[in-house]
Amino acid sequence: MNTVPEAGEPMEPFRVVIGFNNQELSATWPFIELVATPERLEFRARLGFGRFMGPWRVERSEVTKIFRAPGLMMGDCIAVRGKHYLDWTIYAFSLEPILLTLEELGYPVDWIHRTP
């Protein structure tokens, strides 16, 4: 899946509906939309909840590692780690397309890392 445009073409943000945990809020699928660009990850509340909360943003420069991690109930999840104690979790039904796209956008995806 190549989501990165050719030189000179405008970049369309990658969008996917996910679940999300950022140590302040835990929301299951389908309440959060991930919007990823080469500059930042943005998590937006959906279904009218965006009027009351969010969006949550993390700049690309703050992200040090993204990897597949074991989840508790729904199987694996995506861990986003970074500076200033950044420790966010993404829940989705299909993780590989998200990881591949984030890697194409320039995020540091670690395909080997597994947490104990």
Side-chain angles (χ1 to χ4, degrees):
M1 168 177 10
N2 184 7
T3 57
V4 179
E6 297 296 323
E9 292 182 33
M11 172 63 77
E12 287 291 324
F14 171 72
R15 298 173 183 269
V16 63
V17 176
I18 60 166
F20 171 69
N21 182 324
N22 72 350
Q23 301 157 331
E24 294 178 8
L25 172 76
S26 184
T28 62
W29 182 91
F31 293 108
I32 303 293
E33 177 185 39
L34 166 62
V35 180
T37 66
E39 295 81 29
R40 75 185 54 84
L41 299 176
E42 183 170 286
F43 301 86
R44 300 176 183 170
R46 299 180 66 232
L47 307 173
F49 292 105
R51 287 184 252 151
F52 309 106
M53 60 181 70
W56 302 271
R57 295 180 184 95
V58 60
E59 298 299 318
R60 164 59 192 93
S61 60
E62 295 177 38
V63 177
T64 58
K65 185 186 288 188
I66 297 177
F67 59 94
R68 187 177 188 138
L72 296 175
M73 298 175 75
M74 290 183 51
D76 288 354
C77 58
I78 296 173
V80 179
R81 301 289 188 267
K83 299 175 183 175
H84 310 293
Y85 304 104
L86 177 68
D87 183 9
W88 292 3
T89 305
I90 298 171
Y91 305 104
F93 292 108
S94 204
L95 303 179
E96 283 78 14
I98 298 171
L99 288 167
L100 286 167
T101 301
L102 292 177
E103 186 175 52
E104 288 178 357
L105 291 172
Y107 289 87
V109 174
D110 182 348
W111 290 96
I112 298 177
H113 183 88
R114 297 288 288 191
T115 56

Short mmCIF file of all heavy atoms in Angstrom, two decimals, residues 9 53 79:
data_model
loop_
_atom_site.label_atom_id
_atom_site.label_comp_id
_atom_site.label_asym_id
_atom_site.label_seq_id
_atom_site.Cartn_x
_atom_site.Cartn_y
_atom_site.Cartn_z
N GLU A 9 2.95 16.28 -5.65
CA GLU A 9 1.53 16.03 -5.38
C GLU A 9 1.22 16.36 -3.93
O GLU A 9 2.04 16.14 -3.05
CB GLU A 9 1.18 14.56 -5.64
CG GLU A 9 1.25 14.14 -7.07
CD GLU A 9 0.84 12.69 -7.24
OE1 GLU A 9 -0.02 12.21 -6.48
OE2 GLU A 9 1.40 12.03 -8.13
N MET A 53 -14.48 17.07 23.62
CA MET A 53 -13.14 16.58 23.94
C MET A 53 -12.27 16.49 22.70
O MET A 53 -12.78 16.39 21.59
CB MET A 53 -13.21 15.22 24.62
CG MET A 53 -13.86 14.16 23.77
SD MET A 53 -13.99 12.55 24.55
CE MET A 53 -15.21 12.86 25.78
N ALA A 79 1.52 0.41 19.91
CA ALA A 79 2.05 1.28 20.97
C ALA A 79 2.78 2.45 20.32
O ALA A 79 3.55 2.25 19.39
CB ALA A 79 2.99 0.50 21.86
#
